[in-house]
Structure formats: C-alpha cells, structure tokens
Amino acid sequence: MSEHPPIPPVEITEQAVQNAVDAALAAIATASDTATIRAARAAHTAEGSPLSRMNAAIRDLPAERKAAAGKLVGQARARANQALADQEAVLAEVEARAQLDAETVDVTAVPPRRALGARHPLSLLMERMQDVLVGMGWEVGEGPELDHEWFVFDALNTDPDHPARSEQDTLYVAPTERHLALRSHTSTVQIRSLLERGAPLYLVGPGKVFRRDEIDATHVPVFHQLEGIAIDRGLTMAHLRGTLEHLARAMLGAEAQIRLRPNFFPFTEPSAEMDVWHPRAKGGARWIEWGGCGMVDPSVLRSCGVDPDEYQGFAFGMGIERTLQFRGDLNDMRDMIEGDLRFSRQFGMVV
Ligand code: PHE
C-alpha cells in the first residue's frame, strides 16, 4: 500500500480551472514574505500543483478538446505566474527596504563619550628629563624595583653598618636570608648597567624607589628618581657640572644654574649636593636643593669589573616628585599620589 493517498485525476473544466486560479491568486496575494510566497508557488504553480497537473493532463485529452483546454489552462497558468512574479517583486522591495532600515547608521548620533586616559605629570616629567639626556646621546637603562642588597648597597661601597641599610630606612622583604630590598635609590642602575654594558657608558636610569618615610607635604614613601652615570676616559667634575647645567636649563629655562656643595655618598668621591637656581620660583628666584652627585668611586668601578685607572666618570641622582614640586610651584607632594584628575589636568592631559 502506498503511504500517500492516491492523487485523484484532474478534470479540466472551466470551473476547475477557475477554482485553481482563484486559489493561486488568493494565496499569492496574501503571501507576506519570502517563505509564504515560496509555499504559494509550491502549492499553486509548481509541479504537482492543480494547474501544473491540468497542463500535463491535456496530453491525454481527445484531440478535439486539446486546443480549448490548452488555451484555458495556459491563460490560467500565465495569470498565476504573473501574479507570483509581481508579488515576489513587491516582497523583495519590502524586504530590501526593511534591511536597509535595520542597517541604517545615524551619522549625526552623538556617540557615548569615553574620556581617554592621560599620562601622569610625574611620568611626563621623568620622560622629559630622560629626553634631554637621550638628546646628548645617552642611553636609557632600567633595573628591578625589588633587588638584592648587593646591588642596592654593597656594590655601591656602602658598609654593612651604614645607617641607610637599617630597617628604619630601607624596606626589606622576608625571608631575610634572601637579602632582597625594595631599592631605596636608582643607583642600583649604575651597577647593573656597568656590569651589563661595560665602559664607556652614558646612561640614564629612571625609576621608582622606596623608603620608610612618613607621608607629608615633601615626602612620599614611594617616589621616583632619575639616575645618570657617565663613564669614559678623562671625565672630570667639569663634565658633571656641564651636564647638570644643561639638564637644569632644559627644565627651568636659560637662566637656571647649578651649584655644588661638598657632601658624602659612599659611591662617589668627591661627592656633592647639587642645588639648582630656579629663576622663576614662586616668591622669587632662589637656590633649591635638587639631588646628589659626584665622581664614581673607584671601588664601585672595581665591583663592576671596570679598571679605575683607565676609566673615570660621574653620577647624579634626583627626585622626580621634588622636581615636579618646585618646577610646578606645588605646595603638597601628596596631591601627586591621590589620583585626583583636577591635579593632573593642570599639566595638560597628554596621552
Ligand atoms: N643615590 C643618591 C640618593 O638617592 C643620589 C646620588 C646618585 C648621589 C648618584 C650621587 C651619585 O640620594
């Protein structure tokens, strides 16, 4: 037995053709999208549909009926096909328009405003100071923030009982047998760069440093320094002075000057405290303490495998927060670490 009911033979009468056309036109007229028009085509004009079967049945009619039936069915099929084509065109148009509407971009719409981030004034200043030295042919070097005590102190000729090594000043990281400290100055970069690159060397090392300082208007326990080291044949304090003066003028203007006062650092000999003449300081031009410097101690060169009879050089280091403070006439260093955008905006939102 067949699964499908037998398809009844079609009869080609005017009424039957009319019924088939009416059904086809009704289905086509109410088709409202691609899927329903496809269904109408399948049911009313495609192979197997009444009109198609009538067309096929013409073949079996007696000869005298063929012409009339052919005309009747032919006209009916033509009407149905035309209606189908017209409706398809209409639907295609409607669907294309709907798609265009859905994909419309309103070029006048206001996009959600997302403020871009910007560099912190300290980063900008540190970069600017580096740029001045890079402009003289210096390289930039780095070192880790957590370093072995040997790099922070021993290689820098700092005795085991030097007060800077005490836990009151320096932050050590447990366990103590590992001798790891958060570097208290960027002078570690002198050692690392000499060991890595050897002499001659002209290198600037910017970075974060850590000290056990209470926070107040002129101290923060995590701050930034810029260390410079130059090692070559025949370098003298005159080169040190000239370099610092150039840096000072690039930062504070052509009238800026450098003054060196004798001081002591374990890693330089002679050592000096450097002051800078700030021509536009708030309340009038004046000398401001800027940092430390000196001629690199021969023992430091020896620790790094450099022969002090062949090479000499100088080093200097200064605080970036301090530089930003006097350069920007800022009363309180704490403003630099609070993350208040109103502070940063004064320096321009440079990305
Ligand atoms: N490391 C010193 C400090 O932190 C600064 C300094 C650097 C001094 C280089 C001399 C030479 O105060």
Side-chain angles (χ1 to χ4, degrees):
M1 242 177 70
S2 161
E3 284 181 35
H4 302 288
I7 299 165
V10 285
E11 261 200 282
I12 307 177
T13 61
E14 258 184 55
Q15 190 57 54
V17 172
Q18 190 61 53
N19 288 348
V21 175
D22 288 348
L25 295 182
I28 291 164
T30 52
S32 57
D33 57 24
T34 324
T36 45
I37 194 87
R38 204 180 297 129
R41 174 197 291 282
H44 298 286
T45 71
E47 205 172 320
S49 66
L51 282 174
S52 151
R53 284 166 56 219
M54 287 174 189
N55 191 48
I58 296 170
R59 195 175 354 119
D60 301 326
L61 289 179
E64 71 278 10
R65 280 194 59 202
K66 275 188 180 154
K71 189 176 173 198
L72 192 64
V73 174
Q75 282 175 348
R77 292 179 76 215
R79 279 182 71 197
N81 282 331
Q82 186 60 51
L84 200 60
D86 291 349
Q87 184 70 353
E88 268 171 352
V90 168
L91 289 180
E93 168 93 27
V94 168
E95 283 179 16
R97 186 159 303 157
Q99 186 173 1
L100 283 179
D101 282 349
E103 290 172 3
T104 299
V105 174
D106 179 0
V107 292
T108 66
V110 180
R113 281 179 74 86
R114 208 172 299 157
L116 271 186
R119 315 287 309 284
H120 192 278
L122 285 169
S123 309
L124 291 175
L125 178 59
M126 191 151 68
E127 217 160 78
R128 222 175 134 171
M129 292 170 75
Q130 279 176 69
D131 282 351
V132 174
L133 292 152
V134 168
M136 296 196 289
W138 292 42
E139 295 172 78
V140 177
E142 284 185 333
E145 289 168 4
L146 181 64
D147 213 340
H148 193 281
E149 241 186 299
W150 188 82
F151 288 99
V152 188
F153 297 119
D154 300 278
L156 285 158
N157 197 34
T158 308
D159 285 343
D161 52 3
H162 190 281
R165 295 183 80 140
S166 79
E167 290 190 15
Q168 268 97 51
D169 285 338
T170 298
L171 293 143
Y172 291 91
V173 171
T176 47
E177 320 73 273
R178 292 188 64 196
H179 299 281
L180 291 175
L182 287 164
R183 65 178 176 194
S184 51
H185 54 180
T186 41
S187 298
T188 52
V189 179
Q190 287 187 34
I191 304 303
R192 288 185 170 272
S193 51
L194 266 179
L195 284 171
E196 278 165 27
R197 306 181 197 217
L201 178 76
Y202 292 83
L203 187 125
V204 53
K208 207 172 262 180
V209 298
F210 308 82
R211 290 187 193 173
R212 268 190 193 275
D213 277 337
E214 295 292 332
I215 296 192
D216 62 28
T218 54
H219 295 88
V220 283
V222 179
F223 59 104
H224 300 79
Q225 282 189 336
L226 187 95
E227 181 93 4
I229 178 167
I231 303 293
D232 209 336
R233 293 183 176 91
L235 289 183
T236 69
M237 274 196 106
H239 297 108
L240 166 62
R241 204 195 159 92
T243 305
L244 289 173
E245 213 149 59
H246 179 68
L247 184 58
R249 290 182 178 159
M251 290 296 119
L252 299 172
E255 310 102 88
Q257 288 178 47
I258 288 292
R259 177 172 79 179
L260 301 181
R261 289 179 288 114
N263 193 18
F264 173 79
F265 294 105
F267 33 93
T268 44
E269 180 59 36
S271 302
E273 198 75 53
M274 54 162 144
D275 298 338
V276 63
W277 178 253
H278 185 356
R280 270 177 297 279
K282 200 179 191 173
R286 62 186 171 96
W287 289 106
I288 293 169
E289 242 181 77
W290 198 13
C293 62
M295 299 306 289
V296 177
D297 194 291
S299 68
V300 171
L301 294 174
R302 255 181 247 114
S303 295
C304 301
V306 174
D307 179 1
D309 291 328
E310 193 182 354
Y311 288 104
Q312 305 75 40
F314 60 85
F316 58 87
M318 65 273 281
I320 307 295
E321 277 76 356
R322 183 165 175 71
T323 310
L324 183 64
Q325 187 164 34
F326 68 69
R327 193 165 175 261
D329 288 329
L330 307 172
N331 293 328
D332 199 326
M333 217 177 256
R334 286 170 288 202
D335 291 338
M336 299 177 197
I337 57 173
E338 270 170 2
D340 188 329
L341 277 180
R342 288 170 300 182
F343 172 78
S344 296
R345 281 207 186 97
Q346 304 171 69
F347 299 87
M349 298 296 273
V350 181
V351 179

